[in-house]
Amino acid sequence: MHLVFLLYDIHFIGGVERVAANMANTFIGHGHRVTILSLSRPKSSNFFGLDPRAEIKYFNFHFENGFNLPQKVASVFKVHGYLRKLDHPTMVLGIGTTYPSLILAMQPKMEHVKTIGCQHCSYVSAKHIWNFLRGLVYHRLNAVVTLTEHDVSKLRKLNPNCFVIPNSVSFFPEKTSNLENKTILAIGRMDFDKGYDLLLDVFEKFTRLHPDWKLKIVGDGPTREKITSRIEQSTYREQIELHTSTDQIVNQYLEASVYVMTSRSEALPMVLLEAQACGLPTLAFDCETGPAEIISHGKNGYLIKPFDTEEMSQRLAELCENPELRQSFGQHARLNAERFLPEKIYAKWDLFFHSVR
């Protein structure tokens, strides 16, 4: 089968792009042809190790000053120009935020092309005009795929052919963390939704009684300068390591003993899956979607009431003070991550491919 992925920028360093690369590599490994339609300009390399057999077509839009309305309108026509030239059965997946799926929903019907909206963001993250347009045109898609059980009932009101297929874990190393290093880890893009300001609130409370532990943050993004400034002016600056994004991320997990996520909103966070695959106990705010479908409270981690930094710091202290509890949570986390192994998730996609009409 020919599978086409439509997304903003395959070279962007983010969770959506990691998922797209994982999906492409898995599907190619199962004999599918994969083409990636990237709305972006070409770049020389892919951060997430995309299989070289994947074809990439660029539409050459410039995102430096945002993706403005004329570009958005033009993208609908450019995608149509590509799809109408196809002369063989193809399934096209709009991957990421709402807009790639909207582009596909606005395409004229073609017998040999099936359009799939793949929601790699939470239902509530679509605001204002995007939510309105989604309600207007999503019924024109052949199907919609969402990451979480939480969102499926809402999306079925827009399109009855809605399925739940979670992300697969990016890696499942033979070795896991020994959970002995006094290191707390947080990874991800630095923006408001990821809540790094809340993370510093948590760590400030925690470190008063645990000055021997350090916090390692890995990521880049628009709030990095603000977060860096706050760290430099704090009394706990010597206990925080700030790192840029890296393609050697497995080592960061294996060198840590606890993973903390303070996001204000999520879909199905890859970092929690990766942390659990490396045997780390995980803590996260129980935001509307995502963490609760990965973390079993009191078994492989803790779900904290949004956005209670006091409770988060107390639960963090509980794990850091109790090596036996860390080991127990870490073992259960590793077992839980097996649910998201690529072969198990591909089996869901394979059933989906055969059910879409």
Side-chain angles (χ1 to χ4, degrees):
M1 180 184 298
H2 184 197
L3 301 171
V4 175
F5 297 177
L6 173 66
L7 68 164
Y8 277 103
D9 184 355
I10 188 58
H11 300 287
F12 188 75
I13 302 174
V16 169
E17 294 70 32
R18 181 187 291 275
V19 167
N22 289 348
M23 290 171 63
N25 295 347
T26 299
F27 294 163
I28 289 171
H30 283 271
H32 297 289
R33 175 189 170 193
V34 173
T35 300
I36 293 173
L37 304 183
S38 185
L39 296 174
S40 66
R41 294 183 294 175
K43 296 183 179 68
S44 59
S45 62
N46 185 272
F47 188 83
F48 296 119
L50 185 65
D51 191 305
R53 291 173 290 179
E55 307 168 55
I56 306 179
K57 177 175 177 56
Y58 300 95
F59 289 116
N60 291 303
F61 289 106
H62 297 194
F63 299 136
E64 284 79 0
N65 297 314
F67 195 40
N68 58 38
L69 182 59
Q71 288 177 314
K72 287 184 168 73
V73 173
S75 69
V76 175
F77 290 98
K78 282 198 172 186
V79 171
H80 174 64
Y82 171 83
L83 297 181
R84 68 183 177 83
K85 293 177 182 177
L86 296 173
D87 58 1
H88 51 272
T90 304
M91 192 169 292
V92 190
L93 289 70
I95 296 177
T97 55
T98 304
Y99 190 65
S101 297
L102 286 174
I103 291 177
L104 297 183
M106 289 186 279
Q107 298 299 318
K109 293 286 187 180
M110 289 172 264
E111 185 63 30
H112 62 293
V113 175
K114 306 298 183 187
T115 55
I116 313 300
C118 292
Q119 298 288 214
H120 287 266
C121 55
S122 64
Y123 182 88
V124 297
S125 67
K127 305 295 184 183
H128 310 305
I129 186 64
W130 304 122
N131 187 40
F132 172 75
L133 289 173
R134 182 171 62 182
L136 211 59
V137 300
Y138 260 35
H139 69 278
R140 303 186 72 252
L141 294 165
N142 290 94
V144 175
V145 174
T146 182
L147 298 174
T148 64
E149 296 290 344
H150 182 278
D151 280 351
V152 69
S153 60
K154 299 173 184 176
L155 286 164
R156 278 187 179 144
K157 294 177 182 177
L158 306 180
N159 188 312
N161 297 319
C162 186
F163 303 79
V164 180
I165 305 179
N167 296 328
S168 64
V169 69
S170 303
F171 41 74
F172 200 78
E174 291 185 14
K175 178 184 177 183
T176 60
S177 170
N178 61 21
L179 306 182
E180 294 177 359
N181 293 333
K182 293 186 176 182
T183 301
I184 300 157
L185 181 63
I187 298 173
R189 178 169 169 77
M190 289 191 176
D191 59 24
F192 177 78
D193 284 344
K194 298 302 182 184
Y196 283 99
D197 56 325
L198 299 174
L199 176 62
L200 295 186
D201 291 343
V202 170
F203 191 69
E204 183 176 9
K205 294 177 172 66
F206 167 83
T207 195
R208 292 170 189 163
L209 297 177
H210 300 85
D212 52 337
W213 281 75
K214 69 178 179 181
L215 171 64
K216 185 183 291 186
I217 301 174
V218 182
D220 301 288
T223 64
R224 183 183 173 93
E225 185 175 339
K226 185 176 181 179
I227 292 299
T228 301
S229 177
R230 179 174 167 182
I231 292 170
E232 289 174 348
Q233 296 174 33
S234 73
T235 58
Y236 48 83
R237 59 185 176 275
E238 299 299 325
Q239 292 167 252
I240 296 185
E241 293 182 11
L242 199 55
H243 298 261
T244 59
S245 300
T246 173
D247 57 2
Q248 301 297 315
I249 202 66
V250 178
N251 293 333
Q252 300 288 3
Y253 289 110
L254 297 179
E255 292 169 2
S257 293
V258 181
Y259 190 89
V260 177
M261 192 179 76
T262 50
S263 294
R264 291 180 168 90
S265 66
E266 285 287 346
L268 191 76
M270 290 294 295
V271 289
L272 290 185
L273 297 181
E274 293 169 354
Q276 290 198 348
C278 293
L280 292 183
T282 48
L283 294 88
F285 287 132
D286 191 14
C287 52
E288 186 167 356
T289 60
E293 303 201 19
I294 298 174
I295 296 176
S296 297
H297 182 75
K299 185 174 182 180
N300 57 36
Y302 288 126
L303 291 168
I304 310 299
K305 178 183 176 182
F307 296 97
D308 191 336
T309 57
E310 185 65 39
E311 183 189 357
M312 177 76 86
S313 66
Q314 291 173 1
R315 289 296 195 180
L316 180 59
E318 187 178 326
L319 275 169
C320 292
E321 293 166 1
N322 191 330
E324 291 78 16
L325 184 63
R326 288 202 303 276
Q327 292 291 338
S328 175
F329 277 22
Q331 290 168 9
H332 284 101
R334 172 80 163 182
L335 290 172
N336 183 62
E338 291 181 0
R339 296 191 293 127
F340 302 94
L341 288 171
E343 289 305 308
K344 294 185 179 181
I345 301 304
Y346 176 77
K348 296 178 183 291
W349 279 108
D350 193 45
L351 287 173
F352 171 79
F353 294 150
H354 288 92
S355 65
V356 175
R357 297 290 181 265

